[in-house]
Amino acid sequence: MRRNYILLASLASLILAHANPLYQTPFNTPNTVQQQLDHATDEWINADSASSCNACISLLQMLKNLSFVSEKLMVSSLINACVRTKKVHPDVCKGAIEEQAPILRQVLKTMDISGRDGRLMCAAVVNSCPYPAVEPYNVIFPKPKPKMSFQKPSVGKTFTVLQLSDWHIDPEYEAGSEVACDKPICCRSSSTDYNNITVPASKWGAYNCDAPYALIESMLDFIPTIAPNIEFGILTGDVPPHEVWSTLPILKTRLIQDASFTMLHNHFDSPFHINTVLYPAVGNHEAAPTNIFPLKSSSLPKEPGKKYLDLQWLYKSLSKSWRGWLSYGTNTEVENNSANYAVRPINGLKLISLNTNFCYTLNWWLYEHPIERDPNGVLAWLVDQLQDSEDQNERVWIIGHVAPGDITCFHDYSNYYHQIIERYAPHVIAGQFFGHTHMDELQLFYKNSQKNASEAISVAYVAPSITPYEDVNPGFRIYTIDSETFEVVDSITYVADLDKADTWEDGPNWHIEYSAREAYNSAIAPLNSISEPLSPAWWHNVTVAMESDANTFDQYWNYRTKSAPEVPECGEDCRASTICNIRAGKSELRCDFGQDVLFGKDQDISEAKVYPQEHHVCGLNLMSAQERKKMHS
């Protein structure tokens, strides 16, 4: 069974152990607590997959029992269990658990572990149970979808838009420090033995590390040399580094973001640099602790010193950092509406920035019982914005961090979001833009889940990351946009070949990696004129070409990691799953989850089939660079 470290390491070590009736008994003494946790950890180390779902449910119950003891005892017990895995640095165990456990403690107390709540966490976090079926819910719309809609015809004119995503700047990055360290991110003096450096970090970055200032500055300096007339830019989240075990005190995370947005303002607001407006979205790493975005209904801890968990400090900070790009009224909306806002960057186009962390599977508050269908009313707000645009005959772009079709977006939320896309696409929604995966990807949305070209209605572009963490080249996107329809006419990815950093004399070799229009135009997916957009139907036909032509798929697979030198192999099953996932704008349609077809009266959840997941780097990945290397080899 694959051991997944994208979550709190102690939770993983417990969830993936064998089921044992011992774990379902109340705890009486600290020694009993620690003995049970130690036993669970030892069993996990030797576990197989035969009883992983039963084990997950049983051990979640044990953790729920543990949540009723003091926070101090719970934290110390989980730290000891985490350290016993010997796969996570003790400092990382301590920091991550001290930051995350207080939220888990509140949430676990409310959960129905033996029911849907427990199966959902086991499925969504570690894929050890089949995913529960989506709870049926029909999103309410103010008006029925019109049978006819007005849309301006293209006149062949275009403008340029820039997308940046996942830059994960690391202010502690140090050239010459260790790349292969015993922490989740490296290239820091604090994780370097200067008497025994195996791989020294270059000035410009390394594959086990987040982005240094030098890399980001070079990119921002390069952009106006190839795109001097950018209409506007979008930033789809994740500014801070992957130091998920050390995001507190909140001043630390806030200062990193303040300095980063100051750098962005210096480049975007200057007539000598990029000289345009930037519209940001909030990523899961903007929060401290990482991933934790409370709902208005969340049962926040009452203990002194926990006020920061309401996250108002973040929304106020972002509102301040985004001044100048957003109007005063919009800044107020950011602060009071969980960082969701809407603007009109150009006549005829509305841009809606969504906080999609309310669909993120590692946002522990979302598991609190009863689970909300529309956390913080974001989906209802989105419907209002789209209806307003439909009434005004204007087009809309949606930007966010976690794409609704991503493996880390709840199936229920994605289903309800997809209903909204079906209602307002393609006549209102002209494009969707996300980040989070660090890969260069896309997702397709269809009417009635009919996966064919005639039913394709929307494309979500998932932008490449600027950070090279982990094992990808740094990159960014430039879009050519039709000035009347606001549809994407071309998507051009720029990269720097980080494996050649030692040969760079004047900085990173930023260059075009590929133009989607040129790379995927074929007999199966033809573009018949220079102004024809990259429509949802066209992109579907590109996936058809991937199925019939191995070269087309291999090209996509290489571009996905931005032509990184160590692209993982992708065999027949991987290829089928990858194409399936492109066509899964609704995450329940992905092919890397087991479906909840069991759990009848006489059925055993240990029979459930689960599927291997690809390593997802953006969340709570606590494994050291050394351990990740062993796992990949």
Side-chain angles (χ1 to χ4, degrees), residues 258-269:
D258 289 349
S260 299
F261 282 111
T262 297
M263 180 195 297
L264 283 165
H265 275 289
N266 289 340
H267 282 267
F268 278 81
D269 302 351

PDB file of all heavy atoms in Angstrom, residues 258-269:
ATOM      1  N   ASP A 258       3.784  40.037   2.655  1.00  0.00           N
ATOM      2  CA  ASP A 258       3.923  41.488   2.473  1.00  0.00           C
ATOM      3  C   ASP A 258       5.114  41.807   1.579  1.00  0.00           C
ATOM      4  O   ASP A 258       5.020  42.633   0.657  1.00  0.00           O
ATOM      5  CB  ASP A 258       4.106  42.177   3.832  1.00  0.00           C
ATOM      6  CG  ASP A 258       2.835  42.184   4.665  1.00  0.00           C
ATOM      7  OD1 ASP A 258       1.767  41.849   4.118  1.00  0.00           O
ATOM      8  OD2 ASP A 258       2.920  42.516   5.868  1.00  0.00           O
ATOM      9  N   ALA A 259       6.256  41.163   1.847  1.00  0.00           N
ATOM     10  CA  ALA A 259       7.460  41.413   1.043  1.00  0.00           C
ATOM     11  C   ALA A 259       7.254  40.964  -0.400  1.00  0.00           C
ATOM     12  O   ALA A 259       7.712  41.627  -1.353  1.00  0.00           O
ATOM     13  CB  ALA A 259       8.657  40.689   1.653  1.00  0.00           C
ATOM     14  N   SER A 260       6.543  39.849  -0.585  1.00  0.00           N
ATOM     15  CA  SER A 260       6.309  39.325  -1.928  1.00  0.00           C
ATOM     16  C   SER A 260       5.416  40.256  -2.738  1.00  0.00           C
ATOM     17  O   SER A 260       5.686  40.540  -3.917  1.00  0.00           O
ATOM     18  CB  SER A 260       5.681  37.932  -1.839  1.00  0.00           C
ATOM     19  OG  SER A 260       6.534  37.033  -1.173  1.00  0.00           O
ATOM     20  N   PHE A 261       4.344  40.737  -2.115  1.00  0.00           N
ATOM     21  CA  PHE A 261       3.449  41.639  -2.853  1.00  0.00           C
ATOM     22  C   PHE A 261       4.089  43.003  -3.081  1.00  0.00           C
ATOM     23  O   PHE A 261       3.784  43.677  -4.070  1.00  0.00           O
ATOM     24  CB  PHE A 261       2.105  41.750  -2.136  1.00  0.00           C
ATOM     25  CG  PHE A 261       1.216  40.564  -2.377  1.00  0.00           C
ATOM     26  CD1 PHE A 261       0.925  39.672  -1.350  1.00  0.00           C
ATOM     27  CD2 PHE A 261       0.688  40.315  -3.639  1.00  0.00           C
ATOM     28  CE1 PHE A 261       0.119  38.562  -1.583  1.00  0.00           C
ATOM     29  CE2 PHE A 261      -0.120  39.208  -3.879  1.00  0.00           C
ATOM     30  CZ  PHE A 261      -0.406  38.338  -2.852  1.00  0.00           C
ATOM     31  N   THR A 262       4.988  43.415  -2.198  1.00  0.00           N
ATOM     32  CA  THR A 262       5.759  44.635  -2.457  1.00  0.00           C
ATOM     33  C   THR A 262       6.612  44.469  -3.708  1.00  0.00           C
ATOM     34  O   THR A 262       6.697  45.363  -4.567  1.00  0.00           O
ATOM     35  CB  THR A 262       6.645  44.985  -1.248  1.00  0.00           C
ATOM     36  OG1 THR A 262       5.813  45.270  -0.117  1.00  0.00           O
ATOM     37  CG2 THR A 262       7.523  46.194  -1.548  1.00  0.00           C
ATOM     38  N   MET A 263       7.252  43.305  -3.839  1.00  0.00           N
ATOM     39  CA  MET A 263       8.030  43.011  -5.039  1.00  0.00           C
ATOM     40  C   MET A 263       7.145  43.036  -6.283  1.00  0.00           C
ATOM     41  O   MET A 263       7.508  43.610  -7.321  1.00  0.00           O
ATOM     42  CB  MET A 263       8.704  41.638  -4.911  1.00  0.00           C
ATOM     43  CG  MET A 263       9.549  41.250  -6.129  1.00  0.00           C
ATOM     44  SD  MET A 263       9.980  39.486  -6.181  1.00  0.00           S
ATOM     45  CE  MET A 263      10.964  39.327  -4.708  1.00  0.00           C
ATOM     46  N   LEU A 264       5.967  42.440  -6.179  1.00  0.00           N
ATOM     47  CA  LEU A 264       5.053  42.418  -7.323  1.00  0.00           C
ATOM     48  C   LEU A 264       4.595  43.825  -7.689  1.00  0.00           C
ATOM     49  O   LEU A 264       4.531  44.182  -8.877  1.00  0.00           O
ATOM     50  CB  LEU A 264       3.855  41.528  -7.002  1.00  0.00           C
ATOM     51  CG  LEU A 264       4.122  40.030  -7.082  1.00  0.00           C
ATOM     52  CD1 LEU A 264       3.007  39.234  -6.403  1.00  0.00           C
ATOM     53  CD2 LEU A 264       4.271  39.580  -8.531  1.00  0.00           C
ATOM     54  N   HIS A 265       4.263  44.627  -6.686  1.00  0.00           N
ATOM     55  CA  HIS A 265       3.862  46.015  -6.980  1.00  0.00           C
ATOM     56  C   HIS A 265       4.996  46.776  -7.668  1.00  0.00           C
ATOM     57  O   HIS A 265       4.750  47.561  -8.600  1.00  0.00           O
ATOM     58  CB  HIS A 265       3.462  46.729  -5.684  1.00  0.00           C
ATOM     59  CG  HIS A 265       2.038  46.496  -5.282  1.00  0.00           C
ATOM     60  ND1 HIS A 265       0.963  47.038  -5.959  1.00  0.00           N
ATOM     61  CD2 HIS A 265       1.512  45.769  -4.262  1.00  0.00           C
ATOM     62  CE1 HIS A 265      -0.170  46.670  -5.377  1.00  0.00           C
ATOM     63  NE2 HIS A 265       0.138  45.888  -4.347  1.00  0.00           N
ATOM     64  N   ASN A 266       6.221  46.552  -7.232  1.00  0.00           N
ATOM     65  CA  ASN A 266       7.357  47.242  -7.850  1.00  0.00           C
ATOM     66  C   ASN A 266       7.469  46.931  -9.332  1.00  0.00           C
ATOM     67  O   ASN A 266       7.898  47.784 -10.124  1.00  0.00           O
ATOM     68  CB  ASN A 266       8.653  46.857  -7.137  1.00  0.00           C
ATOM     69  CG  ASN A 266       8.764  47.445  -5.744  1.00  0.00           C
ATOM     70  OD1 ASN A 266       8.090  48.421  -5.426  1.00  0.00           O
ATOM     71  ND2 ASN A 266       9.597  46.844  -4.902  1.00  0.00           N
ATOM     72  N   HIS A 267       7.096  45.717  -9.725  1.00  0.00           N
ATOM     73  CA  HIS A 267       7.204  45.331 -11.133  1.00  0.00           C
ATOM     74  C   HIS A 267       5.929  45.642 -11.913  1.00  0.00           C
ATOM     75  O   HIS A 267       6.001  46.096 -13.063  1.00  0.00           O
ATOM     76  CB  HIS A 267       7.536  43.842 -11.240  1.00  0.00           C
ATOM     77  CG  HIS A 267       8.973  43.536 -10.977  1.00  0.00           C
ATOM     78  ND1 HIS A 267       9.917  43.457 -11.983  1.00  0.00           N
ATOM     79  CD2 HIS A 267       9.647  43.308  -9.819  1.00  0.00           C
ATOM     80  CE1 HIS A 267      11.096  43.188 -11.467  1.00  0.00           C
ATOM     81  NE2 HIS A 267      10.969  43.087 -10.152  1.00  0.00           N
ATOM     82  N   PHE A 268       4.771  45.387 -11.312  1.00  0.00           N
ATOM     83  CA  PHE A 268       3.522  45.572 -12.049  1.00  0.00           C
ATOM     84  C   PHE A 268       3.081  47.032 -12.111  1.00  0.00           C
ATOM     85  O   PHE A 268       2.381  47.427 -13.046  1.00  0.00           O
ATOM     86  CB  PHE A 268       2.410  44.711 -11.430  1.00  0.00           C
ATOM     87  CG  PHE A 268       2.436  43.289 -11.896  1.00  0.00           C
ATOM     88  CD1 PHE A 268       3.303  42.373 -11.325  1.00  0.00           C
ATOM     89  CD2 PHE A 268       1.616  42.863 -12.938  1.00  0.00           C
ATOM     90  CE1 PHE A 268       3.348  41.054 -11.772  1.00  0.00           C
ATOM     91  CE2 PHE A 268       1.654  41.555 -13.389  1.00  0.00           C
ATOM     92  CZ  PHE A 268       2.522  40.645 -12.801  1.00  0.00           C
ATOM     93  N   ASP A 269       3.490  47.846 -11.142  1.00  0.00           N
ATOM     94  CA  ASP A 269       3.025  49.230 -11.096  1.00  0.00           C
ATOM     95  C   ASP A 269       3.989  50.196 -11.763  1.00  0.00           C
ATOM     96  O   ASP A 269       3.722  51.396 -11.814  1.00  0.00           O
ATOM     97  CB  ASP A 269       2.817  49.662  -9.633  1.00  0.00           C
ATOM     98  CG  ASP A 269       1.819  48.784  -8.886  1.00  0.00           C
ATOM     99  OD1 ASP A 269       1.167  47.949  -9.539  1.00  0.00           O
ATOM    100  OD2 ASP A 269       1.707  48.926  -7.657  1.00  0.00           O
TER     101      ASP A 269
END
